[in-house]
Amino acid sequence: MINKVIEIAKKAGEEILKIYDEDFSIVSKDDNSPLTKADLLADEIIKSSLAESFEFPIVTEESYVEYEVRKNWQKFWLVDPLDGTKDFIAKNGGFTVNIALIEHNKPILGVVYVPVSGDIYSATLNGGAFKNGKKIYNNSKRKNLIATDSNFHSTKAVLEFFEKYGITNIQKFGSSIKICKLAEGIVDVYPRLNGTKEWDTASSHIIANEAGCKLIDIVTKKELVYNKESIKNNFFIASRDDLEFSLC
């Protein structure tokens, strides 16, 4: 299954890159977030390809399904066809294709494809995390922590978090690349103290978990969960398993 999902992510990524090299138009969605034809094309490619190969229902950023329809789903695909549209528009390469399989409110399979670099991150439950077919794990024991922050979505609260914990080495990445860099051991912590949706985090979440990391909801103090009534995530802190943080 994982190999098929990787193939689908790459197929969508190839089409995204064709548009990336063009002059493309941008429209604003109802929440004022940007939308390009690359988002829509990737969405159609992924949905049709998943439907051809698997029987599970599909939720994507561009094809939202209301809670009343999905609330009893035990297993479904959760997809962000182009995560990091602002990075795509800025042409900085920091965007991804995210495909996750959710079962009982947790991701059990995740693929994150970075079209510009060609990097493919993947994981299955209890099967380990991989980058380009090579197993990855965050074995860092650094005391001088390295953090990551968003190219476009940093906040005052995030900067205060860094100051509180004396973190001065901060590397910026786009989209779900941040959590993948955590899984690789490139960084140690990623505080996300503003809005994300479930499709933003699901695929990289299992990659992080399988690589010795966690995504802790600052409200519940537990791992993020999926298929909630609200598709919005609470703020969270992603980090190595051996680290503990608070916002108090």
Side-chain angles (χ1 to χ4, degrees):
M1 180 182 282
I2 191 74
N3 289 332
K4 184 62 179 179
V5 177
I6 288 171
E7 178 186 313
I8 291 169
K10 287 183 174 180
K11 181 180 177 182
E14 287 171 5
E15 295 306 313
I16 288 171
L17 284 179
K18 291 177 183 177
I19 298 170
Y20 186 63
D21 291 332
E22 300 174 354
D23 290 326
F24 49 82
S25 60
I26 304 162
V27 299
S28 292
K29 295 193 282 190
D30 291 342
D31 62 358
N32 290 321
S33 61
L35 178 71
T36 72
K37 65 179 181 179
D39 297 82
L40 299 175
L41 179 59
D43 186 67
E44 288 303 318
I45 289 169
I46 295 169
K47 282 190 303 184
S48 61
S49 299
L50 288 175
E52 285 173 10
S53 300
F54 308 105
E55 61 184 14
F56 312 122
I58 305 167
V59 176
T60 84
E61 179 173 12
E62 311 311 336
S63 308
Y64 178 66
V65 178
E66 294 296 337
Y67 183 66
E68 284 302 309
V69 176
R70 59 182 166 81
K71 64 181 180 180
N72 295 317
W73 288 358
Q74 300 301 305
K75 203 169 187 177
F76 69 99
W77 296 105
L78 184 57
V79 176
D80 192 339
L82 202 173
D83 183 25
T85 301
K86 288 185 177 181
D87 296 279
F88 178 83
I89 293 167
K91 293 186 180 287
N92 65 20
F95 54 91
T96 59
V97 177
N98 299 347
I99 304 176
L101 183 61
I102 306 298
E103 184 172 35
H104 301 304
N105 307 105
K106 296 180 179 180
I108 61 168
L109 177 153
V111 169
V112 173
Y113 179 50
V114 189
V116 169
S117 69
D119 288 327
I120 189 92
Y121 297 86
S122 63
T124 55
L125 186 63
N126 300 320
F130 298 83
K131 178 184 180 183
N132 301 329
K134 183 178 180 180
K135 196 163 188 178
I136 57 174
Y137 199 87
N138 190 329
N139 291 309
S140 170
K141 300 299 180 185
R142 280 183 292 259
K143 301 296 184 184
N144 293 323
L145 300 180
I146 301 174
T148 185
D149 194 9
S150 172
N151 284 328
F152 292 101
H153 301 286
S154 187
T155 65
K156 181 181 178 183
V158 168
L159 299 180
E160 290 173 348
F161 176 94
F162 294 149
E163 184 176 0
K164 175 181 178 179
Y165 288 100
I167 301 172
T168 57
N169 189 341
I170 301 157
Q171 300 185 12
K172 292 201 170 189
F173 300 100
S175 63
S176 54
I177 296 172
K178 294 182 288 295
I179 295 174
C180 292
K181 292 297 181 182
L182 172 67
E184 282 187 84
I186 303 297
V187 302
D188 304 296
V189 60
Y190 166 41
R192 182 65 190 229
L193 306 180
N194 67 340
T196 59
K197 305 286 180 63
E198 291 187 1
W199 43 67
D200 293 316
T201 56
S203 56
S204 56
H205 188 164
I206 186 170
I207 293 167
N209 283 169
E210 290 292 315
C213 302
K214 57 193 176 183
L215 272 68
I216 301 300
D217 182 321
I218 68 168
V219 176
T220 67
K221 314 300 183 188
K222 298 177 181 179
E223 294 273 349
L224 294 180
V225 296
Y226 297 85
N227 205 25
K228 305 182 299 297
E229 183 170 358
S230 171
I231 205 77
K232 294 180 180 179
N233 292 323
N234 288 330
F235 299 169
F236 64 89
I237 299 173
S239 73
R240 294 172 0 208
D241 276 344
D242 64 316
L243 297 176
E244 298 293 335
F245 299 95
S246 79
L247 298 180
C248 300

